[in-house]
Amino acid sequence: MPVADTSQLISGVAERYASSLFELALQAGSVEAVGAELDRVQALIDGSDDLKRLIVSPVFSAEDQFKAVSALVAQFGFSGLVGNFLKVVARNRRLFALPGSIRAFRLIAARHRGEITADVTSAHALTEAQQTELKATLKGVTGKDVAVNVTVDPSILGGLIVKVGSRQIDTSLRTKLSTLKLALKEVG
């Protein structure tokens, strides 16, 4: 199966799970609380190679995945809605789609609030003040409230890469150096 087909499958599964969770959270009036708990889940995934392996590896049985996720839910005290969501995803052998589901939930919730989302890549973590300033700048450009999803990638060396919808602004040092290198080759 080609890579594009696999990512499309993951995206479709993730969207369906996120959409269902959002509808339940909306009915319960707990969209913000569920979003915060999903952020905690993502932080756990990001901080644990074992958890990443459990999510992506097909060698674990559905029962092993369910037991591990149930223990995680109990240990970290996830609410009924998020806890049940995690258990259903594990029981259905769809843990591979969990990170995508979390991203999709954030997008759906932001759209519901009338926000747009900007994916920002930075060479280092942004402070709260920097994020606030970035949101204000993006609001001035777009005219809408902007939720910022920051990814740290030291390989860009400095600056930012900001994607809002189909627009991308790349002020990364890596790109500037590549452009300079190309210009110098043309001159020489």
Side-chain angles (χ1 to χ4, degrees):
M1 178 182 267
V3 174
D5 291 348
T6 304
S7 66
Q8 198 168 21
L9 171 71
I10 291 172
S11 175
V13 169
E15 282 279 335
R16 285 192 299 277
Y17 275 96
S19 181
S20 297
L21 179 60
F22 180 79
E23 289 300 320
L24 292 170
L26 193 60
Q27 289 171 8
S30 61
V31 171
E32 293 304 315
V34 167
E37 285 201 349
L38 289 176
D39 288 346
R40 284 178 52 214
V41 171
Q42 187 61 56
L44 288 172
I45 294 168
D46 292 343
S48 170
D49 289 337
D50 289 339
L51 188 52
K52 283 179 197 165
R53 211 171 5 264
L54 175 75
I55 287 172
V56 299
S57 177
V59 300
F60 296 103
S61 71
E63 192 58 34
D64 289 341
Q65 287 180 328
F66 182 77
K67 284 178 184 174
V69 167
S70 296
L72 195 73
V73 167
Q75 180 180 353
F76 291 97
F78 291 112
S79 71
L81 206 49
V82 172
N84 288 341
F85 171 74
L86 293 172
K87 290 176 185 177
V88 166
V89 170
R91 178 69 76 199
N92 292 339
R93 293 195 56 78
R94 296 293 186 260
L95 278 181
F96 65 86
L98 185 57
S101 295
I102 293 171
R103 279 192 306 277
F105 183 92
R106 286 180 189 143
L107 290 172
I108 294 166
R111 220 176 10 246
H112 180 75
R113 290 188 301 267
E115 294 177 348
I116 57 175
T117 301
D119 291 318
V120 177
T121 305
S122 173
H124 56 81
L126 299 178
T127 65
E128 282 298 317
Q130 289 170 325
Q131 284 195 35
T132 301
E133 186 178 344
L134 182 59
K135 286 178 186 179
T137 302
L138 291 172
K139 182 176 182 171
V141 171
T142 63
K144 294 184 177 184
D145 286 331
V146 179
V148 177
N149 182 20
V150 179
T151 305
V152 175
D153 180 1
S155 73
I156 70 168
L157 304 174
L160 298 172
I161 300 171
V162 180
K163 294 177 188 171
V164 181
S166 61
R167 296 167 57 190
Q168 176 172 310
I169 303 157
D170 187 342
T171 64
S172 69
L173 189 52
R174 179 180 63 196
T175 299
K176 288 180 181 180
L177 289 171
S178 294
T179 304
L180 181 61
K181 185 178 177 183
L182 187 61
L184 289 173
K185 279 184 180 178
E186 290 175 2
V187 170

